């Protein structure tokens, strides 16, 4: 009886969908795209994420153009690969609401900048922007240098041992750097890579990507019955424990300091630094509207760590792999770095700012392998796409394909080739290259990320010659990962 009622309900939904399409469905029929099936839409004939996604995106772009529609279950999605259309979306002051796929991050990131919107997002963005001033970034350079030197030491065990998987090393280095700059605490993930916190971050991001790529896992009771909800709760307990303890410790430190008592600040390796967390706590103490509680501060610190850790990890990974494939580029970079850093024990921000070729290398790596391969927004009103003229109805999920955009031959001639010198010329369109997004919701930490990557890559090429295995399979998800590879081998420079 239950099965009969269930099948009857599905049939009823199908008949209603077929005979009485809503306004969104009627408008969507005017936008080109693959045939959609009842209930499931294009889930079976369009690949959104995973190693087969780039091929699927390019196939549909060639058939339907640079703006096409797909149905992912009951949700209408418009995929954009045109810089004019993307510019209109990203430049808008009103189209800043993230797409529904980001909702899966809410239990972890809360009201942080990545997924908040409206007045709260505006207040937070305005409050946080000054914390990325170049004077504050300058204070972080010694931390980046220290983490890079530890990475060089960790790589010594890999010299002469043949190819090894690179990502874990870059992840631990990036995590050490982001933890100390964001929270003022030393995780020591590089020297203790299997401790609870670093492994929990990896497990959490993996679980989230699996959930986003499988629509069934977003449904209840499937998610709970599969045991994944309990696993998520256990991981969140671990991931919340560190920032909560650091916040508590810093509050205690301030109290004891105000009372004339010296605090050891030894919990979790906490040291007195001008960290991102400290600046946010000062805003809260000064009654800034954007930060009314410890939870507000915690959400923003966790968001900064999430964005700054995984994105930097993959950018470092792909850049290093590309250098190992293109020996001529690696040698030119080595000469630039060695000339600037020769005889310097503690390089400064000024030294890294002189590395123009390194900046072009990183930019070209981010073009071919953007850490965020696609960006999603929700249409909060009807909008017209300037390039195609299509009407996109309110409530549509808009996906801007950064990975596909960066590989358009008309925007980047010989687009599959790794050529850092292409950035000596001006772009053909201001919204053709978007590794850090653009407009009001551009990445607030892009200068932080570029500086961090410059420091780590410069130390690496200064000490080691890199050789990469060519077998690499990128896998676009919410972040760009690798299905296979990358593997590199190292030889000491001196």
């Amino acid at each position: 009886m239950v099965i009969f009622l269930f099948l009857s309900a599905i049939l009823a939904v199908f008949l209603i969908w077929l005979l009485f399409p809503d306004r969104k469905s009627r408008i969507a029929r005017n936008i080109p795209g693959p045939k959609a099936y009842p209930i499931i839409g294009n889930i079976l004939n369009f690949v959104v994420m995973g190693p087969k996604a780039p091929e699927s995106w390019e196939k549909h772009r060639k058939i339907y153009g640079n703006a096409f529609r797909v149905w992912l279950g009951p949700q209408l999605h418009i995929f954009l690969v045109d810089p004019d259309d993307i510019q209109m979306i990203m430049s808008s002051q009103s189209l800043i609401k993230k797409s529904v796929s980001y909702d899966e991050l809410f239990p972890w990131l809360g009201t942080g900048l990545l997924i908040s919107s409206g007045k709260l997002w505006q207040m937070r963005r305005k409050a946080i922007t000054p914390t990325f001033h170049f004077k504050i970034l300058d204070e972080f350079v010694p931390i980046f240098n220290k983490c890079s030197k530890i990475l060089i030491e960790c790589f010594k065990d890999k010299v002469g041992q043949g190819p090894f998987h690179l990502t874990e090393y870059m992840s631990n280095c990036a995590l050490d750097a982001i933890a100390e700059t964001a929270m003022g605490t030393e995780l020591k993930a590089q020297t203790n890579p299997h401790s609870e916190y670093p492994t929990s971050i990896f497990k959490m991001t993996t679980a989230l990507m699996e959930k986003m790529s499988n629509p069934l896992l977003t449904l209840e009771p499937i998610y709970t019955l599969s045991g994944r909800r309990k696993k998520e709760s256990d991981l969140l307990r671990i991931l919340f424990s560190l920032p909560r303890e650091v916040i508590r410790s810093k509050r205690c430190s301030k109290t004891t300091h105000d009372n004339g008592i010296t605090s050891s600040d030894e919990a979790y390796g906490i040291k007195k630094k001008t960290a991102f967390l400290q600046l946010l706590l000062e805003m809260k103490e000064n009654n800034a509207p954007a930060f009314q509680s410890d939870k507000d501060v915690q959400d923003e610190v966790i968001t900064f760590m999430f964005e700054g850790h995984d994105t930097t990890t993959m950018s470092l990974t792909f850049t290093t792999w590309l250098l190992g494939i293109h020996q001529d580029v690696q040698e030119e970079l080595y000469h630039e770095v060695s000339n600037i850093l020769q005889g310097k024990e503690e390089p400064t921000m000024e030294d890294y700012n002189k590395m123009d070729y390194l900046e072009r290398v990183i930019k070209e790596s981010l073009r071919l392998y953007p850490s965020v391969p696609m960006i999603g927004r929700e249409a909060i009103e009807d909008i017209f796409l300037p390039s195609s003229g299509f009407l996109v109805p309110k409530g549509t999920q808009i996906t801007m394909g950064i990975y596909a955009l960066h590989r358009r031959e008309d925007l980047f001639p010989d687009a599959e080739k790794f050529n850092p010198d292409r950035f000596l010329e001006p772009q053909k369109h201001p919204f053709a290259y978007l590794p850090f997004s653009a407009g009001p919701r551009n990445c607030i930490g892009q200068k932080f990320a570029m500086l961090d990557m410059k420091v780590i890559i410069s130390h690496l090429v200064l000490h080691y010659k890199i050789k990469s295995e060519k077998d690499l399979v990128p896998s676009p998800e919410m972040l760009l990962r690798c299905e296979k590879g990358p593997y590199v081998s190292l030889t000491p420079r001196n």
Side-chain angles (χ1 to χ4, degrees):
M1 185 65 178
V2 174
I3 295 176
F4 174 76
L5 292 174
F6 178 71
L7 293 175
S8 298
I10 291 179
L11 179 61
V13 171
F14 168 66
L15 291 174
I16 293 172
W17 177 84
L18 186 66
L19 299 174
F20 305 102
D22 60 13
R23 177 176 178 272
K24 188 188 299 182
S25 300
R26 293 195 301 271
I27 294 175
R29 289 174 179 174
N30 297 317
I31 304 174
K35 179 182 178 180
Y37 297 95
I39 311 299
I40 63 173
N42 297 109
I43 289 175
L44 298 180
N45 60 357
F46 181 77
V47 183
V48 185
M49 297 181 182
K52 295 182 180 179
E55 181 182 351
S56 180
W57 298 341
E58 186 60 17
K59 171 187 172 183
H60 286 80
R61 187 180 79 84
K62 287 181 177 178
I63 297 173
Y64 302 110
N66 294 320
F68 60 89
R69 59 106 188 101
V70 295
W71 288 90
L72 301 180
Q75 290 179 353
L76 173 61
H77 289 248
I78 303 296
F79 275 72
L80 301 181
V81 196
D82 185 276
D84 287 327
D85 292 340
I86 291 174
Q87 180 174 14
M88 187 274 289
I89 302 294
M90 286 191 171
S91 299
S92 172
Q93 295 291 332
S94 58
L95 297 173
I96 61 173
K97 184 179 180 181
K98 291 297 184 79
S99 62
V100 294
S101 59
Y102 291 83
D103 292 348
E104 303 302 334
L105 295 170
F106 182 78
W108 187 9
L109 307 185
T111 59
L113 271 183
L114 179 63
I115 54 179
S116 62
S117 60
K119 187 177 180 181
L120 176 62
W121 173 83
Q122 291 171 348
M123 286 194 304
R124 292 273 180 89
R125 177 83 184 201
K126 184 177 180 180
I128 292 172
T129 296
T131 65
F132 289 95
H133 190 275
F134 74 92
K135 289 184 179 179
I136 295 176
L137 294 181
D138 189 39
E139 293 184 15
F140 292 160
V141 172
I143 296 173
F144 296 155
N145 281 327
K146 180 183 70 174
C147 294
S148 300
K149 291 175 182 177
I150 296 172
L151 177 66
I152 299 307
E153 288 296 313
C154 290
F155 277 150
K156 284 184 177 180
D157 290 340
K158 292 298 179 181
V159 172
Q161 300 299 312
F164 64 95
H165 200 277
L166 180 64
T167 306
E168 180 182 355
Y169 289 87
M170 292 306 189
S171 175
N172 291 330
C173 182
L175 183 56
D176 276 347
I178 199 72
E180 196 161 353
T181 52
M183 293 188 291
T185 189
E186 294 179 300
L187 280 184
K188 299 181 180 179
Q190 295 188 88
T191 53
N192 188 19
H194 303 296
S195 63
E196 189 176 48
Y197 191 82
T199 54
S200 296
I201 287 183
F202 176 78
K203 290 177 181 178
M204 186 66 185
T205 54
T206 301
L208 284 172
M209 297 310 164
E210 289 176 354
K211 186 177 182 183
M212 291 177 185
S213 62
N214 187 347
L216 291 176
L217 293 179
T218 64
L219 303 176
E220 288 292 1
I222 294 176
Y223 191 63
T224 297
L225 293 177
S226 68
R228 291 171 181 265
R229 183 167 296 284
K230 182 180 185 305
K231 178 182 176 182
E232 178 184 300
S233 298
D234 291 342
L235 290 171
L236 288 175
R237 176 181 52 78
I238 297 169
L239 294 173
F240 288 156
S241 65
L242 177 59
R244 285 172 179 167
E245 176 61 25
V246 176
I247 289 172
R248 184 201 63 77
S249 178
K250 286 189 178 293
R251 186 185 297 108
C252 291
S253 296
K254 185 179 186 304
T255 301
T256 53
H257 182 270
D258 290 345
N259 292 332
I261 304 171
T262 302
S263 172
S264 63
D265 268 355
E266 290 179 352
Y268 285 96
I270 299 164
K271 293 187 175 182
K272 296 178 180 178
K273 299 179 185 294
T274 308
F276 181 67
L277 170 61
Q278 188 62 47
L279 296 170
L280 299 189
L281 286 173
E282 289 174 5
M283 292 183 201
K284 175 179 172 289
E285 290 168 6
N286 293 328
N287 298 315
F291 297 100
Q292 297 292 305
S293 67
D294 284 351
K295 178 66 164 55
D296 294 339
V297 173
Q298 174 185 300
D299 288 350
E300 219 55 76
V301 170
I302 292 176
T303 294
F304 181 47
M305 289 193 65
F306 169 76
E307 291 190 277
H309 170 232
D310 265 8
T311 55
T312 302
T313 292
M314 296 318 301
S315 180
L316 289 169
T317 298
F318 285 118
T319 302
T320 303
W321 178 80
L322 284 165
L323 288 171
I325 293 291
H326 301 275
Q327 295 293 321
D328 55 335
V329 174
Q330 184 181 165
E331 289 309 303
E332 185 171 347
L333 178 58
Y334 169 73
H335 288 303
E336 177 186 72
V337 171
S338 59
N339 287 336
I340 293 173
L341 299 187
Q342 186 175 15
K344 296 191 176 181
E345 288 292 326
E346 191 66 27
T348 65
M349 188 172 180
E350 183 180 0
D351 294 321
Y352 295 115
N353 286 339
K354 294 176 183 176
M355 297 180 184
D356 297 328
Y357 191 64
L358 174 54
E359 182 154 331
R360 297 203 300 276
V361 166
I362 295 173
K363 283 183 175 180
E364 177 68 344
S365 173
L366 286 169
R367 182 188 69 82
L368 284 169
Y369 301 104
S371 299
V372 182
M374 48 190 167
I375 296 173
R377 300 282 174 84
E378 182 174 323
I380 60 171
E381 58 193 13
D382 288 355
I383 58 175
F384 283 93
L385 299 177
S387 181
S388 62
F390 296 135
L391 172 64
V392 176
K394 178 181 177 180
T396 301
Q397 306 303 308
I398 302 169
T399 300
M400 291 163 279
I402 308 304
Y403 185 98
L405 175 72
H406 286 183
R407 290 172 182 255
R408 279 184 51 171
E409 285 285 341
D410 55 334
L411 298 174
F412 299 98
D414 205 1
E416 297 296 324
K417 182 181 179 181
F418 178 65
N419 176 21
D421 286 342
R422 72 171 74 244
F423 285 94
L424 291 171
E425 303 293 331
Q427 293 174 209
K428 292 191 174 183
H429 192 288
F431 280 71
Y433 177 73
L434 301 167
F436 296 105
S437 188
R441 291 207 79 137
N442 71 334
C443 176
I444 196 172
Q446 59 184 286
K447 290 182 179 179
F448 173 97
M450 283 298 293
L451 179 59
D452 188 12
M453 289 186 286
K454 272 188 167 184
V455 175
I456 294 170
I457 295 295
S458 63
H459 278 268
L460 180 58
V461 298
L462 189 63
H463 288 84
Y464 295 109
K465 188 169 184 177
I466 309 153
K467 183 179 179 181
S468 300
E469 300 292 299
K470 292 185 177 181
D471 218 0
L472 178 79
V473 179
S475 180
E477 299 168 0
M478 179 169 280
L479 300 172
L480 186 63
R481 299 185 182 276
C482 288
E483 176 76 6
K484 188 175 184 180
Y487 288 87
V488 303
S489 53
L490 301 176
T491 304
R493 284 282 180 180
N494 298 314

